[in-house]
Coordinates of all heavy atoms in Angstrom, one line a residue:
M1305 N 117.3 90.9 100.6 CA 116.0 91.6 100.5 C 115.8 92.0 99.1 O 114.7 91.8 98.6 CB 116.1 92.8 101.4 CG 114.8 93.6 101.5 SD 113.5 92.8 102.5 CE 112.2 94.0 102.4
N1306 N 116.8 92.4 98.3 CA 116.6 92.9 97.0 C 116.2 91.8 96.0 O 115.6 92.1 95.0 CB 117.9 93.6 96.4 CG 118.1 94.9 97.1 OD1 117.1 95.5 97.6 ND2 119.3 95.4 97.1
D1307 N 116.6 90.5 96.3 CA 116.2 89.4 95.4 C 114.8 88.9 95.7 O 114.4 87.9 95.0 CB 117.3 88.3 95.6 CG 118.7 88.8 95.2 OD1 118.7 89.7 94.3 OD2 119.6 88.2 95.7
M1308 N 114.1 89.4 96.6 CA 112.8 88.9 97.0 C 111.8 89.3 96.0 O 111.8 90.3 95.4 CB 112.4 89.3 98.4 CG 113.3 88.8 99.5 SD 112.9 89.6 101.1 CE 111.4 88.8 101.4
T1309 N 110.8 88.3 95.7 CA 109.7 88.6 94.9 C 108.7 89.5 95.6 O 108.8 89.6 96.9 CB 109.0 87.4 94.4 OG1 108.4 86.7 95.6 CG2 110.0 86.4 93.7
M1310 N 107.7 90.1 94.9 CA 106.7 90.8 95.6 C 105.9 90.0 96.6 O 105.6 90.4 97.7 CB 105.7 91.4 94.6 CG 104.6 92.3 95.2 SD 105.2 93.7 96.1 CE 105.4 94.9 94.8
E1311 N 105.6 88.7 96.2 CA 104.9 87.8 97.1 C 105.7 87.6 98.3 O 105.1 87.5 99.4 CB 104.6 86.5 96.3 CG 103.5 86.6 95.3 CD 104.0 87.3 94.0 OE1 105.2 87.4 93.8 OE2 103.1 87.9 93.3
Q1312 N 107.0 87.4 98.2 CA 107.8 87.1 99.4 C 107.8 88.4 100.3 O 107.8 88.2 101.5 CB 109.2 86.7 99.0 CG 109.3 85.4 98.4 CD 110.6 85.1 97.7 OE1 111.3 86.0 97.2 NE2 111.1 83.8 97.8
R1313 N 107.9 89.5 99.7 CA 107.9 90.8 100.5 C 106.5 90.9 101.3 O 106.5 91.3 102.4 CB 108.1 92.0 99.6 CG 109.6 92.0 99.1 CD 109.7 93.1 98.1 NE 111.0 93.0 97.4 CZ 111.9 93.9 97.4 NH1 111.7 95.0 98.1 NH2 113.1 93.8 96.8
L1314 N 105.5 90.7 100.5 CA 104.1 90.9 101.1 C 103.9 89.8 102.3 O 103.3 90.2 103.3 CB 103.0 90.7 100.1 CG 102.9 91.8 99.1 CD1 101.9 91.4 98.0 CD2 102.6 93.1 99.7
A1315 N 104.6 88.7 102.1 CA 104.4 87.7 103.2 C 105.1 88.1 104.5 O 104.8 87.5 105.5 CB 105.0 86.3 102.7
L1316 N 105.9 89.1 104.5 CA 106.6 89.6 105.7 C 105.7 90.4 106.5 O 105.9 90.6 107.7 CB 107.8 90.4 105.4 CG 109.0 89.6 104.7 CD1 110.1 90.6 104.3 CD2 109.6 88.6 105.7
N1317 N 104.6 90.9 105.9 CA 103.7 91.8 106.6 C 102.8 91.0 107.6 O 102.5 89.9 107.3 CB 102.8 92.6 105.6 CG 103.7 93.5 104.7 OD1 104.7 94.0 105.1 ND2 103.2 93.7 103.5
H1318 N 102.3 91.7 108.6 CA 101.4 91.1 109.5 C 100.1 91.9 109.4 O 100.1 93.1 109.4 CB 101.9 91.2 110.9 CG 101.0 90.7 112.0 ND1 100.7 89.4 112.1 CD2 100.2 91.4 112.8 CE1 99.8 89.2 113.0 NE2 99.4 90.4 113.5
Y1319 N 99.0 91.1 109.4 CA 97.7 91.8 109.2 C 96.8 91.4 110.4 O 96.7 90.2 110.8 CB 97.0 91.3 108.0 CG 97.7 91.6 106.7 CD1 98.6 90.8 106.2 CD2 97.4 92.8 106.0 CE1 99.3 91.1 105.0 CE2 98.0 93.1 104.8 CZ 99.0 92.2 104.3 OH 99.6 92.5 103.1
D1320 N 96.1 92.3 111.0 CA 95.0 92.1 111.9 C 93.8 92.5 111.1 O 93.4 93.7 111.1 CB 95.2 92.9 113.2 CG 96.2 92.4 114.1 OD1 96.2 91.1 114.4 OD2 97.1 93.1 114.5
V1321 N 93.2 91.5 110.5 CA 92.1 91.8 109.6 C 90.8 92.0 110.4 O 90.4 91.2 111.2 CB 91.9 90.6 108.6 CG1 90.7 90.9 107.7 CG2 93.1 90.4 107.8
D1322 N 90.2 93.1 110.1 CA 88.9 93.5 110.7 C 87.8 92.7 110.0 O 87.9 92.2 108.9 CB 88.6 95.0 110.5 CG 87.6 95.6 111.4 OD1 86.9 94.8 112.1 OD2 87.4 96.8 111.5
T1323 N 86.7 92.5 110.7 CA 85.5 91.9 110.1 C 84.8 92.8 109.2 O 83.9 92.4 108.4 CB 84.6 91.3 111.2 OG1 84.2 92.4 112.1 CG2 85.2 90.2 112.0
E1324 N 85.1 94.1 109.4 CA 84.4 95.2 108.7 C 85.3 95.7 107.6 O 86.5 96.1 107.9 CB 84.0 96.3 109.7 CG 83.1 97.3 109.2 CD 82.7 98.3 110.3 OE1 82.1 97.8 111.3 OE2 82.9 99.5 110.1
A1325 N 84.9 95.8 106.4 CA 85.7 96.3 105.3 C 86.0 97.8 105.5 O 85.0 98.6 105.7 CB 85.1 96.1 104.0
H1326 N 87.2 98.3 105.4 CA 87.5 99.7 105.6 C 87.5 100.4 104.2 O 87.4 101.6 104.2 CB 88.9 99.9 106.2 CG 90.1 99.3 105.4 ND1 90.3 98.0 105.3 CD2 91.0 99.9 104.7 CE1 91.3 97.8 104.6 NE2 91.8 98.9 104.1
I1327 N 87.5 99.7 103.1 CA 87.3 100.2 101.8 C 86.1 99.6 101.2 O 86.0 98.3 101.2 CB 88.5 100.0 100.9 CG1 89.7 100.7 101.5 CG2 88.3 100.5 99.5 CD1 91.0 100.4 100.8
K1328 N 85.2 100.4 100.6 CA 84.0 99.8 100.0 C 84.0 100.3 98.5 O 84.3 101.5 98.2 CB 82.8 100.3 100.7 CG 82.7 99.7 102.1 CD 81.4 100.1 102.8 CE 81.3 99.5 104.2 NZ 82.1 100.3 105.2
V1329 N 83.6 99.4 97.6 CA 83.6 99.7 96.2 C 82.2 99.5 95.7 O 81.5 98.6 96.1 CB 84.6 98.8 95.4 CG1 84.5 99.1 93.9 CG2 86.0 98.9 96.0
K1330 N 81.8 100.5 94.8 CA 80.4 100.4 94.3 C 80.4 99.7 93.0 O 80.8 100.2 91.9 CB 79.9 101.8 94.1 CG 79.8 102.6 95.3 CD 79.4 104.1 95.1 CE 79.4 104.9 96.3 NZ 79.4 106.4 96.1
P1331 N 79.9 98.4 93.0 CA 80.0 97.6 91.8 C 79.3 98.1 90.6 O 79.7 97.9 89.4 CB 79.5 96.2 92.2 CG 78.7 96.5 93.5 CD 79.3 97.7 94.1
E1332 N 78.2 98.8 90.8 CA 77.4 99.3 89.7 C 78.1 100.4 89.0 O 77.9 100.6 87.8 CB 76.0 99.8 90.2 CG 76.0 101.1 91.1 CD 76.4 100.9 92.5 OE1 76.8 99.7 92.9 OE2 76.3 101.8 93.3
V1333 N 79.0 101.1 89.7 CA 79.8 102.2 89.0 C 80.9 101.5 88.2 O 81.3 101.9 87.1 CB 80.4 103.2 90.0 CG1 81.2 104.2 89.4 CG2 79.3 103.8 90.8
C1334 N 81.5 100.5 88.8 CA 82.6 99.8 88.2 C 82.2 99.1 86.8 O 83.0 99.0 85.9 CB 83.2 98.7 89.1 SG 83.9 99.3 90.6
Q1335 N 80.9 98.7 86.8 CA 80.4 98.1 85.5 C 80.5 99.1 84.3 O 80.6 98.7 83.2 CB 79.0 97.6 85.7 CG 78.9 96.3 86.3 CD 79.7 95.2 85.6 OE1 80.7 94.8 86.0 NE2 79.2 94.8 84.4
E1336 N 80.4 100.4 84.7 CA 80.4 101.4 83.6 C 81.8 102.0 83.4 O 82.0 102.9 82.5 CB 79.5 102.5 84.0 CG 78.0 102.1 84.3 CD 77.4 101.4 83.1 OE1 77.6 101.8 81.9 OE2 76.7 100.4 83.3
C1337 N 82.8 101.5 84.1 CA 84.2 102.0 84.0 C 84.9 101.3 82.9 O 85.0 100.1 82.9 CB 84.9 101.8 85.3 SG 86.5 102.5 85.4
D1338 N 85.5 102.1 82.0 CA 86.2 101.5 80.8 C 87.6 101.1 81.1 O 88.0 100.0 80.7 CB 86.2 102.5 79.6 CG 84.7 102.7 79.1 OD1 83.9 101.8 79.2 OD2 84.4 103.9 78.6
L1339 N 88.3 102.0 81.7 CA 89.8 101.7 81.9 C 90.1 100.9 83.1 O 91.1 100.1 83.1 CB 90.5 103.1 82.0 CG 90.5 103.9 80.7 CD1 91.2 105.2 80.9 CD2 91.1 103.1 79.5
R1340 N 89.4 101.0 84.2 CA 89.6 100.2 85.4 C 91.1 100.2 85.9 O 91.7 99.2 86.0 CB 89.1 98.8 85.2 CG 87.6 98.7 84.9 CD 87.1 97.3 84.5 NE 85.7 97.3 84.6 CZ 85.0 96.3 84.2 NH1 85.5 95.2 83.7 NH2 83.7 96.3 84.2
P1341 N 91.6 101.4 86.1 CA 93.0 101.5 86.6 C 93.3 100.8 87.9 O 94.4 100.5 88.1 CB 93.2 103.0 86.7 CG 91.8 103.6 86.8 CD 90.9 102.7 86.0
C1342 N 92.3 100.6 88.7 CA 92.5 100.0 90.0 C 93.1 98.6 89.8 O 93.8 98.1 90.7 CB 91.2 99.9 90.8 SG 89.9 99.1 89.9
L1343 N 92.8 98.0 88.7 CA 93.4 96.6 88.4 C 94.9 96.7 88.3 O 95.6 95.7 88.5 CB 92.8 96.0 87.2 CG 91.3 95.6 87.2 CD1 90.8 95.3 85.8 CD2 91.1 94.5 88.2
Y1344 N 95.4 97.8 87.9 CA 96.9 97.9 87.7 C 97.6 98.7 88.8 O 98.8 98.4 88.9 CB 97.1 98.7 86.3 CG 96.2 98.1 85.2 CD1 95.1 98.6 84.8 CD2 96.6 96.9 84.6 CE1 94.3 98.1 83.8 CE2 95.9 96.3 83.7 CZ 94.7 96.9 83.2 OH 93.9 96.3 82.3
V1345 N 97.0 99.5 89.5 CA 97.7 100.3 90.5 C 97.8 99.6 91.9 O 98.7 100.0 92.7 CB 97.2 101.7 90.7 CG1 97.1 102.4 89.4 CG2 95.8 101.7 91.3
C1346 N 96.9 98.8 92.2 CA 96.9 98.2 93.6 C 98.1 97.2 93.7 O 98.1 96.2 93.0 CB 95.6 97.5 93.9 SG 95.6 96.7 95.5
P1347 N 99.0 97.5 94.5 CA 100.2 96.6 94.7 C 99.9 95.3 95.3 O 100.7 94.3 95.2 CB 101.2 97.4 95.5 CG 100.3 98.4 96.3 CD 99.1 98.7 95.4
A1348 N 98.8 95.2 96.0 CA 98.4 94.0 96.7 C 97.4 93.2 95.9 O 96.9 92.1 96.3 CB 97.8 94.3 98.1
E1349 N 97.0 93.7 94.7 CA 96.1 93.0 93.8 C 94.8 92.7 94.5 O 94.2 91.6 94.4 CB 96.7 91.7 93.2 CG 97.9 92.0 92.4 CD 98.5 90.7 91.7 OE1 98.1 89.6 92.1 OE2 99.4 90.9 90.9
C1350 N 94.3 93.7 95.2 CA 93.0 93.6 95.9 C 91.8 93.7 94.9 O 90.7 93.2 95.2 CB 92.8 94.7 97.0 SG 94.0 94.5 98.3
F1351 N 92.1 94.3 93.8 CA 91.1 94.3 92.7 C 91.4 93.3 91.7 O 92.5 93.1 91.2 CB 91.1 95.7 92.0 CG 90.7 96.8 92.9 CD1 91.7 97.4 93.8 CD2 89.4 97.4 92.9 CE1 91.3 98.5 94.6 CE2 89.1 98.4 93.8 CZ 90.1 99.0 94.6
K1352 N 90.3 92.5 91.4 CA 90.5 91.5 90.3 C 89.3 91.5 89.4 O 88.2 92.0 89.8 CB 90.6 90.1 91.0 CG 91.9 89.9 91.8 CD 92.0 88.4 92.1 CE 93.2 88.1 93.1 NZ 94.4 88.8 92.8
L1353 N 89.5 91.0 88.2 CA 88.4 90.9 87.2 C 88.0 89.5 87.2 O 88.7 88.6 86.9 CB 88.9 91.4 85.8 CG 87.9 91.7 84.8 CD1 87.0 92.8 85.3 CD2 88.5 92.1 83.5
K1354 N 86.7 89.3 87.6 CA 86.1 87.9 87.6 C 84.9 87.9 86.7 O 83.9 88.6 87.0 CB 85.8 87.5 89.0 CG 87.1 87.3 89.8 CD 86.7 86.7 91.2 CE 88.0 86.5 92.0 NZ 87.7 86.2 93.5
E1355 N 84.9 87.2 85.7 CA 83.8 87.1 84.8 C 83.3 88.4 84.3 O 82.1 88.7 84.3 CB 82.7 86.2 85.4 CG 83.1 84.8 85.7 CD 82.1 84.0 86.4 OE1 81.0 84.6 86.8 OE2 82.3 82.8 86.6
G1356 N 84.2 89.3 84.0 CA 83.9 90.6 83.5 C 83.5 91.7 84.5 O 83.2 92.8 84.2
K1357 N 83.5 91.3 85.8 CA 83.2 92.2 86.9 C 84.3 92.4 87.8 O 85.1 91.5 88.1 CB 82.0 91.6 87.7 CG 80.7 91.5 86.8 CD 79.6 91.0 87.7 CE 78.3 90.9 86.8 NZ 77.2 90.3 87.5
I1358 N 84.4 93.6 88.4 CA 85.4 93.9 89.4 C 85.1 93.3 90.7 O 83.9 93.4 91.2 CB 85.5 95.5 89.6 CG1 86.1 96.2 88.4 CG2 86.3 95.8 90.8 CD1 87.5 95.9 88.1
S1359 N 86.0 92.6 91.2 CA 85.9 92.0 92.5 C 86.9 92.6 93.5 O 88.1 92.8 93.1 CB 86.2 90.4 92.4 OG 86.5 89.9 93.6
F1360 N 86.5 93.0 94.7 CA 87.4 93.7 95.6 C 87.5 92.9 96.9 O 86.4 92.5 97.4 CB 87.0 95.1 95.8 CG 87.8 95.8 96.9 CD1 89.1 96.2 96.6 CD2 87.3 96.0 98.1 CE1 89.9 96.8 97.5 CE2 88.1 96.6 99.1 CZ 89.4 97.0 98.8
S1361 N 88.7 92.7 97.4 CA 88.8 92.2 98.8 C 89.8 93.1 99.6 O 90.9 93.4 99.1 CB 89.4 90.7 98.7 OG 90.6 90.7 98.0
Y1362 N 89.4 93.4 100.7 CA 90.1 94.4 101.5 C 91.2 93.8 102.4 O 92.1 94.5 102.9 CB 89.1 95.2 102.4 CG 88.5 94.4 103.5 CD1 89.0 94.4 104.8 CD2 87.4 93.6 103.3 CE1 88.4 93.6 105.8 CE2 86.8 92.8 104.3 CZ 87.3 92.8 105.5 OH 86.8 92.1 106.5
E1363 N 91.1 92.4 102.6 CA 91.9 91.8 103.6 C 93.4 92.0 103.5 O 94.2 92.1 104.4 CB 91.6 90.3 103.7 CG 90.2 90.0 104.2 CD 89.1 90.0 103.1 OE1 89.4 90.5 102.0 OE2 88.0 89.5 103.4
G1364 N 93.9 92.0 102.2 CA 95.3 92.2 102.0 C 95.8 93.6 101.7 O 96.9 93.8 101.2
C1365 N 94.9 94.6 102.0 CA 95.2 96.0 101.7 C 96.4 96.5 102.4 O 96.6 96.2 103.6 CB 94.0 96.8 102.0 SG 94.2 98.6 101.8
L1366 N 97.3 97.2 101.7 CA 98.5 97.8 102.2 C 98.3 99.2 102.7 O 99.2 99.9 103.1 CB 99.6 97.8 101.1 CG 100.0 96.4 100.6 CD1 100.9 96.6 99.4 CD2 100.6 95.5 101.7
E1367 N 97.1 99.7 102.6 CA 96.7 101.1 103.0 C 97.5 102.2 102.3 O 97.9 103.2 102.9 CB 96.8 101.2 104.5 CG 95.9 100.2 105.3 CD 96.2 100.1 106.8 OE1 96.7 101.1 107.3 OE2 95.9 99.0 107.4
C1368 N 97.8 101.9 101.0 CA 98.7 102.9 100.3 C 97.9 104.1 99.7 O 98.4 105.1 99.4 CB 99.4 102.2 99.2 SG 98.4 101.6 97.8
G1369 N 96.6 103.9 99.5 CA 95.8 104.9 99.0 C 95.7 105.1 97.5 O 95.1 106.0 96.9
S1370 N 96.5 104.2 96.7 CA 96.5 104.3 95.3 C 95.2 104.2 94.6 O 94.9 104.9 93.6 CB 97.5 103.3 94.7 OG 98.8 103.4 95.3
C1371 N 94.4 103.3 95.1 CA 93.1 103.1 94.4 C 92.2 104.3 94.6 O 91.4 104.7 93.7 CB 92.4 101.9 95.0 SG 92.1 101.9 96.8
R1372 N 92.3 105.0 95.7 CA 91.5 106.2 96.0 C 91.9 107.3 95.0 O 91.0 108.0 94.5 CB 91.8 106.7 97.4 CG 91.0 107.9 97.9 CD 91.5 108.3 99.2 NE 90.5 109.2 99.9 CZ 90.7 109.7 101.1 NH1 91.8 109.4 101.8 NH2 89.8 110.4 101.6
I1373 N 93.2 107.4 94.7 CA 93.6 108.4 93.8 C 93.3 108.1 92.3 O 92.9 108.9 91.5 CB 95.1 108.6 93.9 CG1 95.4 109.2 95.3 CG2 95.7 109.5 92.8 CD1 96.9 109.2 95.7
C1374 N 93.4 106.8 91.9 CA 93.3 106.5 90.5 C 91.8 106.4 90.1 O 91.5 106.6 88.9 CB 94.0 105.2 90.2 SG 93.0 103.7 90.6
C1375 N 90.9 106.2 91.0 CA 89.5 106.0 90.6 C 88.9 107.4 90.5 O 88.6 108.1 91.5 CB 88.7 105.2 91.7 SG 87.0 105.1 91.2
D1376 N 88.6 107.8 89.2 CA 88.0 109.1 89.0 C 86.4 109.0 88.8 O 85.8 109.9 88.4 CB 88.6 109.7 87.7 CG 88.4 108.9 86.5 OD1 87.8 107.8 86.6 OD2 88.8 109.3 85.4
Q1377 N 85.9 107.8 89.2 CA 84.4 107.6 89.1 C 83.7 107.7 90.4 O 82.5 107.4 90.5 CB 84.2 106.2 88.5 CG 85.0 105.9 87.3 CD 84.5 106.6 86.0 OE1 83.3 106.8 85.9 NE2 85.4 107.1 85.3
E1378 N 84.5 108.0 91.5 CA 83.9 108.1 92.8 C 83.2 106.8 93.2 O 82.1 106.8 93.9 CB 82.9 109.3 92.9 CG 83.6 110.6 92.7 CD 82.7 111.8 92.8 OE1 81.6 111.7 93.2 OE2 83.2 112.9 92.6
A1379 N 83.8 105.7 92.9 CA 83.3 104.4 93.2 C 83.8 103.8 94.5 O 83.4 102.8 95.0 CB 83.6 103.4 92.1
I1380 N 84.8 104.5 95.1 CA 85.5 104.0 96.2 C 85.3 104.9 97.5 O 85.5 106.1 97.4 CB 87.0 103.9 96.0 CG1 87.3 102.9 94.8 CG2 87.8 103.4 97.2 CD1 88.7 102.7 94.5
E1381 N 84.8 104.2 98.5 CA 84.7 104.8 99.8 C 85.9 104.4 100.6 O 86.0 103.2 100.9 CB 83.4 104.4 100.6 CG 82.2 105.1 100.0 CD 80.9 104.5 100.8 OE1 81.0 104.3 102.0 OE2 79.9 104.4 100.1
W1382 N 86.8 105.3 100.8 CA 88.1 104.9 101.4 C 88.3 105.4 102.8 O 88.0 106.5 103.1 CB 89.2 105.5 100.5 CG 90.6 104.8 100.6 CD1 91.1 103.8 99.8 CD2 91.6 105.0 101.6 NE1 92.3 103.4 100.2 CE2 92.6 104.1 101.4 CE3 91.6 105.8 102.8 CZ2 93.8 104.1 102.2 CZ3 92.8 105.7 103.6 CH2 93.8 104.9 103.2
A1383 N 88.8 104.5 103.6 CA 89.1 104.9 105.0 C 90.2 103.9 105.5 O 90.4 102.8 104.9 CB 87.9 104.8 105.9
Y1384 N 91.0 104.4 106.5 CA 91.9 103.5 107.2 C 91.1 102.5 108.0 O 89.9 102.8 108.4 CB 92.8 104.2 108.1 CG 93.9 105.0 107.4 CD1 93.9 106.3 107.3 CD2 95.0 104.3 106.8 CE1 94.9 107.0 106.6 CE2 96.0 104.9 106.1 CZ 95.9 106.3 106.0 OH 96.9 107.0 105.4
P1385 N 91.6 101.3 108.3 CA 90.9 100.4 109.1 C 90.7 101.0 110.5 O 91.4 101.9 110.9 CB 91.9 99.2 109.2 CG 92.8 99.3 108.1 CD 92.9 100.8 107.8
R1386 N 89.8 100.4 111.3 CA 89.6 100.8 112.6 C 90.8 100.6 113.5 O 91.7 99.8 113.1 CB 88.4 100.1 113.2 CG 87.1 100.3 112.6 CD 85.9 99.7 113.3 NE 86.0 98.2 113.3 CZ 85.3 97.5 114.0 NH1 84.3 98.0 114.8 NH2 85.4 96.1 114.0
A1387 N 90.9 101.3 114.6 CA 92.1 101.3 115.4 C 92.4 99.8 115.9 O 91.4 99.1 116.3 CB 91.9 102.1 116.7
G1388 N 93.6 99.4 115.7 CA 94.0 98.0 116.1 C 93.9 97.0 115.0 O 94.3 95.9 115.2
F1389 N 93.4 97.5 113.9 CA 93.3 96.6 112.7 C 94.2 97.1 111.6 O 94.6 98.2 111.5 CB 91.8 96.4 112.3 CG 90.9 95.8 113.3 CD1 90.1 96.5 114.0 CD2 91.0 94.4 113.5 CE1 89.2 95.9 115.0 CE2 90.2 93.8 114.4 CZ 89.3 94.5 115.2
G1390 N 94.4 96.2 110.6 CA 95.1 96.6 109.4 C 96.5 96.0 109.4 O 96.8 95.0 110.1
I1391 N 97.3 96.6 108.6 CA 98.6 96.1 108.3 C 99.7 96.6 109.3 O 99.6 97.7 109.8 CB 99.1 96.4 106.9 CG1 100.4 95.6 106.5 CG2 99.3 97.9 106.7 CD1 100.7 95.7 105.0
S1392 N 100.6 95.7 109.6 CA 101.8 96.1 110.4 C 103.0 95.7 109.5 O 103.2 94.6 109.2 CB 101.9 95.4 111.7 OG 100.8 95.6 112.5
Y1393 N 103.8 96.7 109.2 CA 104.9 96.5 108.3 C 106.1 96.0 109.0 O 106.5 96.4 110.1 CB 105.3 97.8 107.5 CG 104.4 98.1 106.4 CD1 103.4 99.1 106.6 CD2 104.5 97.5 105.2 CE1 102.5 99.4 105.6 CE2 103.6 97.8 104.2 CZ 102.6 98.7 104.4 OH 101.7 99.0 103.4
E1394 N 106.8 95.0 108.5 CA 108.0 94.4 109.1 C 109.1 95.4 109.1 O 109.9 95.5 110.0 CB 108.4 93.1 108.3 CG 109.5 92.4 108.9 CD 109.1 91.5 110.1 OE1 107.9 91.4 110.3 OE2 110.0 91.1 110.8
Y1395 N 109.3 96.1 108.0 CA 110.4 97.1 107.9 C 109.8 98.5 107.7 O 109.6 99.0 106.6 CB 111.2 96.8 106.7 CG 111.9 95.5 106.8 CD1 111.4 94.3 106.1 CD2 113.1 95.3 107.6 CE1 112.0 93.1 106.3 CE2 113.7 94.1 107.7 CZ 113.2 93.0 107.1 OH 113.8 91.8 107.2
G1396 N 109.4 99.1 108.8 CA 108.9 100.5 108.8 C 107.5 100.5 108.4 O 106.9 101.4 108.1
Ligands
SF4_457 S1 88.7 102.7 88.7 FE1 87.0 103.0 90.2 S2 85.1 102.8 89.0 FE2 86.8 102.0 87.7 S3 86.7 99.7 88.1 FE3 88.2 100.6 89.6 S4 87.0 101.1 91.5 FE4 85.6 100.7 89.8
SF4_458 S1 94.8 101.2 99.5 FE1 96.4 100.4 98.2 S2 96.7 98.3 98.8 FE2 94.7 99.0 99.6 S3 93.2 98.4 98.0 FE3 93.8 100.5 97.6 S4 95.5 100.3 96.1 FE4 95.2 98.3 97.1

C-alpha cells in the first residue's frame, strides 16, 4: 500500500456519480482570483486551468472539503452529494 502512487490509490475508490453536481463554482469570480489555491489543494485535481480559465469537474471529488476552506472569494457552493451518491472508500 505504501508504494502506491496517488493515481493507484484513487483507483481503489468507488464512485456513484450523480447527474447533478454537488459542488458548484462561479467562473466569473474565479476569473478575478489571483492565487487560485484550489488548483493546489484539491487532492483529486478536480480544478484545472484550461486556457487561462478555471475548469471544475465534480465527478472525482473525494468530499474532503479542502476547496471550500481554501477559497476566500466565496466562489464555491459546497455540499455533499445527494444520498446514495458520491465516493465509497475502499479503506475506511
Ligand atoms: S480559489 Fe475560489 S475563486 Fe479562486 S479560482 Fe479557486 S474556486 Fe475560484
Ligand atoms: S471537496 Fe476535496 S476532492 Fe472535492 S473538489 Fe473540493 S478539494 Fe477536491
Side-chain angles (χ1 to χ4, degrees):
M1305 184 78 176
N1306 288 338
D1307 295 335
M1308 295 173 73
T1309 65
M1310 179 61 84
E1311 286 73 21
Q1312 288 170 325
R1313 289 170 190 243
L1314 290 174
L1316 293 175
N1317 298 327
H1318 175 74
Y1319 299 88
D1320 285 311
V1321 179
D1322 198 351
T1323 53
E1324 190 176 303
H1326 61 288
I1327 297 173
K1328 297 184 178 78
V1329 180
K1330 298 173 185 166
E1332 70 278 9
V1333 180
C1334 297
Q1335 275 306 104
E1336 304 301 320
C1337 180
D1338 291 329
L1339 296 178
R1340 297 175 168 171
C1342 55
L1343 290 171
Y1344 308 102
V1345 304
C1346 178
E1349 298 183 349
C1350 293
F1351 295 83
K1352 293 192 186 313
L1353 195 58
K1354 291 183 179 172
E1355 299 177 353
K1357 296 180 179 176
I1358 291 289
S1359 163
F1360 174 73
S1361 55
Y1362 68 95
E1363 291 87 346
C1365 176
L1366 302 172
E1367 301 170 26
C1368 68
S1370 301
C1371 56
R1372 183 185 197 179
I1373 293 170
C1374 81
C1375 180
D1376 61 357
Q1377 308 290 317
E1378 299 184 3
I1380 296 177
E1381 288 177 32
W1382 200 99
Y1384 284 110
R1386 295 187 296 171
F1389 294 104
I1391 189 168
S1392 299
Y1393 285 98
E1394 183 77 14
Y1395 297 99

